[in-house]
Each structure stands twice: as structure tokens, then as C-alpha cells.
Amino acid sequence: MEKSKRVYCLYRVSTKGQVEKDDIPMQKQYCREFAENQGWVITKEFAEKGVSGFKVADAIQEIRQDAEEQKFDILLVFMFDRLGRRDDETPFVVEWFIRNGIEVWSAMEGQQRMDDHIDKLLNYIRYWQASGESLKTSARTKTRLSQIVQEGRFRGGIVPY
């Protein structure tokens, strides 16, 4: 009988609004169901709340250390952009795990492979696109907040005196 694969899960949201909307419990439930359907055993879960996707998750440092010690077989996230959105950094973090024998999976998008040059290119494109989406969301948010202020309305935050 084949030994069950040991899984580490990383759940992450980048804004306080996502924390308040319970995105982490949604990610956790989906990943747990996905792992169970695959016959995998989740041995550790990490959750980071309110950390920008442009910053590599602090949990990644601990996860990398455990990968070097071969404490798990699979790193599972809800979607790959939960690992980060930096196109100049995140693809290399993913590649590091794969080169060190850790499978990297998204419950929504499947397995990230590095079998050939095309896989590496697709990995880079994924995070380049995530980076662009994040920048566009930021621009839309800033524009809308500016419009609210110009309309003379309160835009939220600490109430001014």
C-alpha cells in the first residue's frame, strides 16, 4: 500500500477586508476537501492575514526549512497567487520547492510542474499576470477613493475631527 503524501497548506489574504470576509476559512475548507479527495494527509497549516501579495509570505521561510528537512511532500495553496504576486521572485520560490522534491499544488489550478522550459515559462507568466492584476486593482481602488473624497463623502478609516 502506498504511503499517504504529507501536505503543508498555506492560506493567505493580503487585505484586512479579505480577513473580515472570512477568505481564510474558505481557502482552508477547499484545500482540506481537495487533499482528502486526493488521499493526502495535511500535517501542517499556515495562515497569514493582511500580508501583501508583493511580499513573500513569512511562513514560506519556515516551510522552506521544513522542506530541506523533508518533513512534507506537497505544498498546497488555494490558488497560486496566494504564494505571492511578485513576478521577479515568486516563480523562483515555486521552482525552488519543486527542485527540492516538493510538489506544489493549487486546489483550484492543479499541479505546478517544472519538467521543461515551457513549464518554467508558464510559471513565470502566471506570476507576471498576478502582479499585473494586483497593480490594476490598486489603481482602481485609489481612483475610486479619490472620487469619493472629491464628492465630499467620507471614504472610511478613522473618523476625522
Side-chain angles (χ1 to χ4, degrees), residues 32-107:
R32 285 178 175 177
E33 289 171 2
F34 183 83
E36 183 179 335
N37 289 337
Q38 301 297 322
W40 301 338
V41 176
I42 296 174
T43 57
K44 199 164 189 179
E45 296 174 299
F46 298 84
E48 290 197 331
K49 300 176 180 182
V51 179
S52 169
F54 281 96
K55 179 178 184 284
V56 171
D58 290 335
I60 290 290
Q61 302 311 317
E62 182 178 345
I63 294 169
R64 282 179 75 145
Q65 180 65 42
D66 286 357
E68 289 174 347
E69 297 172 17
Q70 300 177 343
K71 291 183 177 180
F72 66 103
D73 307 299
I74 296 171
L75 175 58
L76 176 64
V77 293
F78 175 66
M79 292 182 72
F80 286 120
D81 67 356
R82 300 299 82 203
L83 288 169
R85 293 188 173 198
R86 290 192 56 162
D87 58 7
D88 62 344
E89 190 171 322
T90 312
F92 304 106
V93 171
V94 172
E95 188 174 0
W96 183 91
F97 280 108
I98 294 169
R99 273 197 334 262
N100 284 278
I102 304 299
E103 295 176 25
V104 181
W105 283 78
S106 157

Side-chain angles (χ1 to χ4, degrees), residues 134-161:
S134 185
L135 293 171
K136 286 193 287 187
T137 299
S138 177
R140 284 192 300 270
T141 301
K142 288 176 185 172
T143 299
R144 184 60 190 138
L145 290 174
S146 177
Q147 289 171 342
I148 289 170
V149 169
Q150 288 173 354
E151 293 167 1
R153 298 180 17 221
F154 180 58
R155 65 174 233 177
I158 298 172
V159 178
Y161 282 101

